[in-house]
Amino acid sequence: MGDFSNSTVAFYPKSQRGSGVVSGASEDNPTGGFGATLDELMALMELRGPEALQKIQDSYGDTEGLCHRLKTSATEGLSDSPADLEKRGQVFGQNFIPPKKPKTFLQLVWEALQDVTLIILEMAAIISLGLSFYQPPGEESEVCGKGSGGAEDEGEAEAGWIEGAAILLSVICVVLVTAFNDWSKEKQFRGLQSRIEQEQRFSVVRNGNVIQIPVAEMVVGDIAQVKYGDLLPADGILIQGNDLKIDESSLTGESDHVRKSADKDPMLLSGTHVMEGSGRMLVTAVGVHSQTGIIFTLLGAGEGEEDKKDKKAKKQDGAIAMEMQPLKSAEGGEVEEKEKKKASVPKKEKSVLQGKLTKLAVQIGKAGLVMSAITVIILVLYFVIETFVVERRAWLPECTPVYVQYFVKFFIIGVTVLVVAVPEGLPLAVTISLAYSVKKMMKDNNLVRHLDACETMGNATAICSDKTGTLTTNRMTVVQVYVGDQHFREIPDSDQIHPKTLETLVSGIAINSAYTSKVMSPDTEGGLPKQVGNKTECALLGFVLDLKRDYASVREQIPEEKLYKVYTFNSVRKSMSTVVKLPDGSFRLYSKGASEIMLKKCSFILGASGEVNNFRPRDRDDMVKKVIEPMACDGLRTICIAYRDLPASPEPEWDAEADIVGELTCIAVVGIEDPVRPEVPDAIRKCQRAGITVRMVTGDNINTARAIAAKCGIIQPGDDFLCLEGKDFNRHIRNEKGEIEQERIDKIWPKLRVLARSSPTDKHTLVKGIIDSTVVERRQVVAVTGDGTNDGPALKKADVGFAMGIAGTDVAKEASDIILTDDNFSSIVKAVMWGRNVYDSISKFLQFQLTVNVVAVIVAFTGACITQDSPLKAVQMLWVNLIMDTFASLALATEPPTEALLLRKPYGRNNPLISRTMMKNILGHGVYQLIIIFTLLFAGEKIFNIDSGRNAPLHSPPSEHYTIIFNTFVLMQLFNEINARKIHGERNVFDGIFRNPIFCSIVLGTFAVQVVIVQFGGKPFSCSPLSMEQWLWCLFVGVGELLWGQVIATVPTSHLKWLKEAGHGPATDEVFDEELADDEEEIDLAERELRRGQILWFRGLNRIQTQMEVVSTFKRSGSFQGAARRRSSILSQLHDVTNISTPSHVVLSTTNPSGAPGSEFLFTAAQQHTKMETGKEFYFVFLCS
């Protein structure tokens, strides 16, 4: 129910917050002074059609009677008195569902502790701690060989516990950092959602005025105005409707639109979509008492008693998975096991980046695991052979603790190699980068509802954009008119039009427009009049005002209730018609719509003196050539206004629409101007330079569309392009049987730039055709903009769907990934920039991290094999791991984007994450660091004239030798972090460094901490303080990284053909069809291997998947058809569910034995309807994934 606004928490009294059901009225007075109780109204909303009408008649007389009982007026609405509204909230509940509590910090800490590698480290550290306190009898120590020979004095021997304690401390640090990151992410996502929820407003009548209020403030008794494209925020009863059709598939699973009328089926349910028409409804149930609210309570979204009963939260690997509490059947033991297995299978449909990262992570993880295993084996073998074979010692019982201590030390070294090798900072980098981008994108008018859309946008190769409002300003004005046989290039004076024609024209516009469309006086003096409602209708109403006539007086004479019949506008009709009853009992129909369609229905036309003349096909062709085409070529949208008189008897058959809206009399044709936004041509030029093709898909006339496309720069003279109308497009892409063929689409889409007079189906077909096409080597990544209800399918099919924040309907917003809060095309270009920036940030981080990984693993491995001890100690490795993972991901993932990102072509879906240039950098810097470290390791004591740290006994004090190696290693990483800022071989690595204060502070902060560790770390960090001269040498070698970076940049990558790229996208056979993913549980092969290897990375990755999914509910949740994608995973959690006929229709078999009316569709919505406010939506995704 995308309607329950997040802001609602503020309206909710503390005493009630958190309970699943809003507290009702006091026990002794359940009605609270109203003539209907909460239970009565809830029971009423369970009924449908004639049954409901009968119940209303029996209990209340009629809807007026019910309004009277609820102390409201069908025309005036509620009074705005706060006391009355508060009382209604107390008696009938408030319009939101209380959120689940967020996870506490301690829970997140516990979750971070579940990390496999960390657990291994903790165990090793505890064993090491325990053993360090055991001292073998002194006289035996020689017998045990070199085991304890190095303890020069008692103090040092007793300090053996420090390493174990230090490892535990570092583990605690890592856990706290991880938990804090999770906590802040959760906070960010909740904030993001609250922003989305606050946008939700709805029109209600209060004190006779139509006002927009936050959905959360709606109360029972409100009179709400419903219109095309709305998502109903509460249950209600229709009082008056015009041609109202509702999509109830979210509740019933039936995809057919249900016609609603006050006299046949007046029941409107929350969470359903208005697909056509308009009307007014009396709100009868809100929040947890509405139909969708009941479902949420059953699903445990409202934190009710069920939660307390069932605290067994399922631990799903790494995902923040919450158990779906309530639906537990007594005999569901086996079912539950199956469900658990099913639930742990992640859904397919990964983002491009996720797929590449999963694959790369598995490869790195495997390599790390192998290296760490080999390290441990070599160390143990070396020790065993040297002690028991070479020195021929016997294994004495009293020596066991000493030997075990050695083995534990080797094991710890092995685990630290694994810790360093496994890039668990990668998911963190992705999350930080995405979360940072999402936050910043809000400032650029991109409200991201689905996290990975932000990254996908960086790969976009095609944008299919609407015209009105996106490329144009959506401020429409009538600038030309053809009336009374005369074409006026400017708005005529009213005396230039025959009075009779003028009167018919004014009535035709005033009556045959939605009464919610109005032109109001400007907010500021000298400003433009304010347009409210449909912009085309506002242009026509403005035209009436320009003719010095008043449309409001016409509407007062014929209020909305007196309209006899309304055929509302939809994309099939492309027209709107309204019938009024005249005083003599006859009828008059007013109609307006797209001129070429309307003129075909006209048989007559009003002449210069108001007389009715015949209008033959030949006249129509003349008019198209002389009036409509010239207007369209000026980029004007042409609308024809017509009327027809119908006899009183026999009364026309109103359902035979084709007969009724025919033989019309044309009154006028107007040309409406909608100027191109000034910033759009430049934005489109940027897109084209960035390798993105922009196509315009519009419902407008082809000439108008072509003229606007030329003004925007979508088409340029001399280019080879196609502009097609919807019907021609269909003719080209379908075979003789009328089936769409991909080969035919492939011949058209590469050159197609403008698709005019297109239906929403055409838009969907085009998007699907481009995505499925194989004619170009790279799979196209398509972004689509849409504002209408019917754009839903195309927005969903696209890789990224942009909905209009201002003009967009609720349905379009629900289907989208990103909402453009300013409806402006240039904001899409910003999204592309941010998307590419995310991709680059991840690559920068990878380049940095893999260099550290390669060097650290090789150093630990060779060091261990040659000197029986890793030059980098466990605690030092954990510190390196912390800086390269957590801090570096923060530093490199928050680089702001630059315009330069738009100067290159998109990477493409299968492009590797690690390019050849990056591989060159990784290997180049790796070689430099390894040479330095091995030189220091084997010759350092001679260079600096100090004692050698090699082959030191077990508890010997830290040596200056190994401290220099550690310090040099860290400083080289710090300077290499600056190199990592550039990944395309640029020379100036400092470019724009001060634009990123986070980066600067992290580099300086890390350096400061390093100084403290080296000088004062002592035994816990295995460090010995260094002299100033030694520090300067370490710094000198570190700075050498920057100079070496310049040397590497000089080597042309083109000469290094042998270098392999890494991190390719998943192979073709791994990329499952979206349709397949809809209904089948698929598991990524890479993930299966991950699970097998039990690598710590799995948790991290799974967590990022979840995070990407978190706001992904923004896409799938509220949009019910969209949630169908998640259908199977939610169903897997609903016990005792039977699937029948329609795939989305589900019936409960045993859970609801009462068979109460409506019980069968309670759970169908559960499959699809996942939108909740605050954290509910947030947690629901975990239920789903």
Side-chain angles (χ1 to χ4, degrees), residues 113-168:
L113 276 168
Q114 308 304 307
D115 210 306
V116 187
T117 322
L118 287 182
I119 292 171
I120 297 172
L121 261 183
E122 287 155 23
M123 280 162 47
I126 290 166
I127 296 171
S128 162
L129 258 180
L131 289 172
S132 66
F133 291 117
Y134 175 83
Q135 283 300 317
E139 69 276 4
E140 310 264 352
S141 62
E142 272 310 303
V143 187
C144 303
K146 57 181 184 174
S148 50
E152 274 82 12
D153 57 52
E154 276 307 295
E156 281 303 343
E158 283 167 11
W161 63 272
I162 290 181
E163 185 170 36
I167 292 177
L168 282 181

Side-chain angles (χ1 to χ4, degrees), residues 710-907:
K711 283 182 189 170
C712 294
I714 291 175
I715 54 179
Q716 268 130 9
D719 281 1
D720 183 14
F721 60 80
L722 281 175
C723 294
L724 290 178
E725 280 197 343
K727 58 176 191 295
D728 298 330
F729 174 68
N730 275 299
R731 202 171 57 239
H732 284 301
I733 63 169
R734 292 176 191 272
N735 59 20
E736 303 72 52
K737 296 179 191 163
E739 296 159 345
I740 295 170
E741 288 184 357
Q742 184 63 42
E743 302 80 65
R744 289 170 180 251
I745 298 181
D746 288 344
K747 286 179 189 157
I748 286 178
W749 74 259
K751 288 185 182 176
L752 184 69
R753 291 295 175 273
V754 176
L755 185 58
R757 283 281 178 249
S758 68
S759 69
T761 322
D762 297 337
K763 194 173 190 174
H764 181 262
T765 307
L766 175 65
V767 172
K768 186 175 184 304
I770 297 178
I771 289 176
D772 294 347
S773 173
T774 49
V775 286
V776 282
E777 61 183 283
R778 287 180 178 176
R779 133 86 150 99
Q780 295 281 300
V781 178
V782 184
V784 166
T785 68
D787 53 9
T789 300
N790 293 321
D791 288 331
L795 286 170
K796 262 216 173 44
K797 179 66 194 170
D799 294 289
V800 182
F802 286 89
M804 302 299 134
I806 303 168
T809 59
D810 290 350
V811 181
K813 289 178 190 174
E814 293 299 337
S816 70
D817 301 304
I818 298 178
I819 295 175
L820 295 178
T821 51
D822 62 346
D823 288 13
N824 192 339
F825 184 85
S826 59
S827 301
I828 299 178
V829 181
K830 301 250 179 66
V832 172
M833 214 154 82
W834 277 106
R836 292 185 173 192
N837 194 52
V838 167
Y839 207 92
D840 277 9
S841 296
I842 304 303
S843 295
K844 287 172 190 175
F845 176 68
L846 267 176
Q847 175 175 307
F848 172 69
Q849 184 167 35
L850 292 181
T851 311
V852 188
N853 277 14
V854 168
V855 176
V857 171
I858 293 176
V859 167
F861 177 70
T862 21
C865 297
I866 297 169
T867 68
Q868 285 71 65
D869 186 7
S870 168
L872 299 172
K873 301 289 178 283
V875 181
Q876 296 172 351
M877 291 259 218
L878 283 171
W879 162 238
V880 169
N881 204 37
L882 192 70
I883 58 171
M884 76 180 195
D885 275 354
T886 310
F887 299 148
S889 61
L890 194 60
L892 292 168
T894 51
E895 287 273 328
T898 59
E899 289 275 330
L901 288 165
L902 294 175
L903 298 177
R904 61 169 176 77
K905 298 277 181 272
Y907 280 137

Side-chain angles (χ1 to χ4, degrees), residues 483-486 495-502 504 605-613 643 667:
V483 61
D485 281 346
Q486 210 176 339
D495 50 15
Q496 289 177 271
I497 303 172
H498 190 273
K500 187 180 161 198
T501 306
L502 184 61
T504 316
I605 188 166
L606 292 181
S609 51
E611 78 286 4
V612 176
N613 298 329
Y643 78 100
I667 310 169

Side-chain angles (χ1 to χ4, degrees), residues 615-745:
F615 189 62
R616 297 179 299 272
R618 192 175 65 237
D619 303 326
R620 183 170 63 239
D621 295 343
D622 281 354
M623 189 156 172
V624 167
K625 278 199 194 76
K626 292 178 183 161
V627 178
I628 291 169
E629 282 182 5
M631 281 187 186
C633 292
D634 290 341
L636 304 184
R637 188 176 192 170
T638 55
I639 300 281
C640 170
I641 300 158
Y643 78 100
R644 179 187 183 183
D645 287 323
L646 297 155
S649 65
E651 186 169 329
E653 181 56 55
W654 299 115
D655 286 340
E657 187 188 334
D659 300 335
I660 301 284
V661 187
E663 299 195 8
L664 304 173
T665 304
C666 172
I667 310 169
V669 172
V670 296
I672 296 178
E673 181 182 49
D674 184 9
V676 170
R677 288 177 181 266
E679 64 276 20
V680 161
D682 186 44
I684 286 178
R685 261 197 307 281
K686 282 181 186 167
C687 280
Q688 289 163 342
R689 202 171 54 215
I692 301 168
T693 308
V694 181
R695 296 180 173 83
M696 180 200 287
V697 182
T698 176
D700 242 337
N701 172 314
I702 190 155
N703 294 323
T704 310
R706 195 184 279 125
I708 298 283
K711 283 182 189 170
C712 294
I714 291 175
I715 54 179
Q716 268 130 9
D719 281 1
D720 183 14
F721 60 80
L722 281 175
C723 294
L724 290 178
E725 280 197 343
K727 58 176 191 295
D728 298 330
F729 174 68
N730 275 299
R731 202 171 57 239
H732 284 301
I733 63 169
R734 292 176 191 272
N735 59 20
E736 303 72 52
K737 296 179 191 163
E739 296 159 345
I740 295 170
E741 288 184 357
Q742 184 63 42
E743 302 80 65
R744 289 170 180 251
I745 298 181

